[in-house]
Structure formats: C-alpha cells, structure tokens
Amino acid sequence: MSSLNSPSEFPQAPGLDPAISAALKRDDAGLVAAVVQQHDTGEVLMLGWMDDEALHRTLTTGRVTFWSRSRQEYWRKGDTSGHVQWVKSVALDCDGDALLVRVDQVGAACHTGTHTCFDGRDLPVLTQQAS
C-alpha cells in the first residue's frame, strides 16, 4: 500500500480550512475520534477515526469518510454495504480532540449488521441515588 494513504502524510488536507485544521488535536497517529449520531433521535451509532483529509471529504461531499486503522486506508461509509451516512452537521468539541458527526443513517451503522455499534453491549453499572 502506498505511504500516500497514511494519515501522517496529510498533516493538513489542501482543501481543509486552515482554522479547522489548527483547532484539531490529533492523537499520535494524526487522528481525531468522530462520534456518529443519528441527527433526529440523538442515538449514538458508532465511533470512527478521521484525519484532516477524511474530515475534508466529510465536510465537502455530504457523506462520512473515515480513516481505517486496520486497513490503513480511507473508507466512505456505505460504499460496499449500502448503509450510507448522509451528513447533517459536524461539530468540534471544546478541546478539539473529538468530532460529533450528525447523520441520517440508511440501514445498519455497525459492520455486524446492527443498527448501532452499541446494541446489546451494556456493561453492569452500580448506580447511585441522587440525594
């Protein structure tokens, strides 16, 4: 695979607004976490990773693009599955280290075929009563 597909090769995407790029706080691999949420219900669908190029593609195409850490390449949600994510809005958190991508999800969001990546994965939590 070409090293040009590596996120480290895209410290700033040519088309990404320099102010947006400067506001991003990336991890050691040059990535920012992107939480994907259904725009009308608020349901959290999945978590993906973006570098400047993936964010630029997401902001300019209307479709969500991620950097695949396992495949080491860009991937656009729905290209092979048909389960497209249409971008409604993108917000940067207060620290600049996470994105909230609000989408209109078509089909399953999770690669397992479930609606969200969090279906049936609840962990036991000790709850405290408010006083």
Side-chain angles (χ1 to χ4, degrees):
M1 176 151 309
S2 166
S3 65
L4 292 179
N5 269 347
S6 167
S8 63
E9 296 296 316
F10 294 102
Q12 179 179 340
L16 187 63
D17 181 329
I20 295 172
S21 183
L24 296 175
K25 292 185 183 155
R26 301 159 193 83
D27 68 9
D28 291 342
L31 303 172
V32 175
V35 177
V36 180
Q37 179 183 48
Q38 177 63 35
H39 78 100
D40 53 355
T41 65
E43 183 176 30
V44 176
L45 301 173
M46 61 175 287
L47 173 74
W49 296 93
M50 293 184 181
D51 65 357
D52 285 26
E53 178 64 21
L55 178 56
H56 171 68
R57 292 179 189 189
T58 298
L59 293 172
T60 59
T61 66
R63 298 263 313 270
V64 182
T65 299
F66 298 102
W67 173 257
S68 171
R69 297 177 301 165
S70 60
R71 294 188 312 251
Q72 295 291 294
E73 64 185 15
Y74 293 102
W75 62 282
R76 191 167 67 168
K77 186 70 172 171
D79 278 354
T80 57
S81 68
H83 300 165
V84 177
Q85 293 175 336
W86 296 105
V87 178
K88 295 295 185 177
S89 67
V90 179
L92 185 60
D93 81 338
C94 60
D95 296 324
D97 61 359
L99 297 162
L100 178 60
V101 184
R102 292 184 184 101
V103 302
D104 187 12
Q105 177 70 49
V106 176
C110 187
H111 71 280
T112 65
T114 58
H115 182 65
T116 87
C117 291
F118 300 98
D119 280 344
R121 311 257 323 170
D122 293 340
L123 302 176
V125 175
L126 176 63
T127 58
Q128 305 240 344
Q129 297 296 320
S131 45

